[in-house]
Amino acid sequence: ARLHLVEPLGFVLDDARVKRAGLDYHDLAEVFRYRNWQFFLEQNPGARLWAFSTRGHMAHSQAVFRAGDALVFGPETRGLPDEILEEAGRDRVLRMPMLDKSRSINLANAVAVGLYEALRQLDYAGLH
């Protein structure tokens, strides 16, 4: 999997902070940064988007993922903007089951759950 970060970011991404976060394997990660959402779309034409949102109507485990899909997550505080949900399309806005009174799932945990479901469906391609 590759990590695509779309600015503006809600955090600072520098070597010291990455190491402090415990990512001692960060040198193995492929990280791409984009100045805005439109630039991401231009640089990734044809990417099939899966948006993760509390406004989704389909569970993440019901999606059928393919190699090359883009899993899109937003900030915990406000989620993805309507523009991105519309870009993904109503049938590709996914929700992770959680307690009714929960506002959201921690972003890192949500990414892990979504990514590993996609990897599971792809038989963990590239992993051993």
Side-chain angles (χ1 to χ4, degrees), residues 22-95:
L23 300 178
D24 55 353
Y25 51 85
H26 72 281
D27 56 318
L28 301 175
E30 288 184 73
V31 181
F32 301 87
R33 287 178 77 162
Y34 303 90
R35 64 179 169 256
N36 57 42
W37 179 246
Q38 191 58 43
F39 191 61
F40 167 81
L41 293 174
E42 290 168 8
Q43 297 299 307
N44 296 278
R48 196 169 70 136
L49 306 175
W50 290 96
F52 286 75
S53 173
T54 57
R55 293 179 275 165
H57 297 287
M58 182 168 64
H60 72 288
S61 55
Q62 294 177 298
V64 179
F65 297 106
R66 300 189 305 225
D69 283 353
L71 310 183
V72 184
F73 300 85
E76 292 171 37
T77 55
R78 63 185 180 282
L80 290 168
D82 290 337
E83 159 196 348
I84 293 176
L85 297 177
E86 290 169 18
E87 187 80 36
R90 183 172 169 82
D91 60 333
R92 288 199 306 271
V93 178
L94 305 175
R95 179 180 174 86

Side-chain angles (χ1 to χ4, degrees), residues 1 5-6 11 17 23 44 47 60-61 67 73 81 83 102 108 113 115 125:
L5 299 171
V6 179
F11 52 88
R17 284 185 175 87
L23 300 178
N44 296 278
H60 72 288
S61 55
F73 300 85
E83 159 196 348
S102 298
V113 169
L115 177 59

